């Protein structure tokens, strides 16, 4: 059964691992790139991710101008929300944005070590914002 607008936005605002998909742009017969990502979303706003500007994902998103993100869970019921929409901005990531994302997903004692690791190994990052236009959602426990 489909979720209400409030339910789907609340679900998407929870810290699930997202599955990002974007057109691979490599000719007929190629599947889209699909990768797991951390993401941030607040109801009514844009969804955003962090990635390297020169990463395959970053380049493909820039070329396509849009992407899809799926968030799901299996407990207590199978529920998912999928959003697709246009990129609204791509800007250099600030230390505050990196901290916000890491704090969303990691335990407090792991935030600083991860930020130090990321600063030394990930290189430059960008924040890519997407405006959700198309929504699909369901809670299969409601059937």
């Amino acid at each position: 059964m489909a979720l209400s607008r409030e339910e789907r936005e609340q679900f998407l605002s929870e810290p699930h691992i997202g599955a990002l998909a974007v057109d691979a742009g490599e000719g007929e017969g190629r599947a889209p790139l699909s990768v797991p990502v951390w993401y941030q979303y607040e109801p009514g706003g844009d969804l955003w991710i962090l990635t390297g500007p020169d990463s395959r994902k970053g380049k493909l998103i820039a070329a396509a101008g849009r992407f899809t993100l799926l968030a799901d869970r299996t407990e207590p019921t199978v529920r998912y929300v999928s959003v697709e929409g246009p990129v609204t901005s791509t800007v250099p990531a600030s230390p505050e944005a990196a901290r916000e994302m890491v704090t969303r997903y990691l335990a407090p004692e792991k935030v600083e070590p991860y930020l130090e690791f990321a600063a030394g190994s990930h290189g430059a990052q960008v924040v890519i914002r997407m405006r959700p236009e198309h929504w699909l959602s369901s809670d299969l426990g409601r059937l």
Side-chain angles (χ1 to χ4, degrees):
M1 173 173 268
L3 303 175
S4 70
R5 178 181 177 162
E6 293 78 21
E7 288 172 322
R8 71 186 188 204
E9 288 190 351
Q10 176 58 42
F11 182 82
L12 194 61
S13 72
E14 297 167 2
H16 305 284
I17 302 299
L20 183 143
V22 63
D23 181 4
E26 296 174 351
E28 192 172 320
R30 290 295 306 254
L33 173 69
S34 182
V35 293
V37 294
W38 289 352
Y39 70 91
Q40 178 62 291
Y41 176 76
E42 292 183 19
D46 287 350
L47 178 144
W48 60 273
I49 64 163
L50 290 170
T51 193
D54 295 324
S55 68
R56 182 169 183 233
K57 173 177 50 194
K59 288 178 180 178
L60 290 174
I61 292 171
R66 59 192 316 111
F67 63 92
T68 299
L69 186 119
L70 168 72
D72 68 341
R73 69 164 196 219
T74 58
E75 295 290 334
T77 60
V78 174
R79 179 179 274 201
Y80 71 87
V81 171
S82 177
V83 293
E84 186 268 337
V87 170
T88 59
S89 70
T90 302
V91 298
S94 67
E96 294 79 17
R99 179 173 300 282
E100 180 179 340
M101 187 69 77
V102 172
T103 301
R104 176 174 164 87
Y105 285 95
L106 297 182
E109 68 275 9
K110 295 187 177 190
V111 169
E112 290 304 322
Y114 184 86
L115 287 170
E116 290 174 19
F117 161 77
S121 66
H122 290 170
Q125 297 280 290
V126 292
V127 171
I128 301 175
R129 293 187 177 275
M130 179 260 279
R131 179 172 306 113
E133 277 185 348
H134 305 286
W135 294 76
L136 294 173
S137 65
S138 187
D139 187 331
L140 301 178
R142 293 185 182 178
L143 299 176

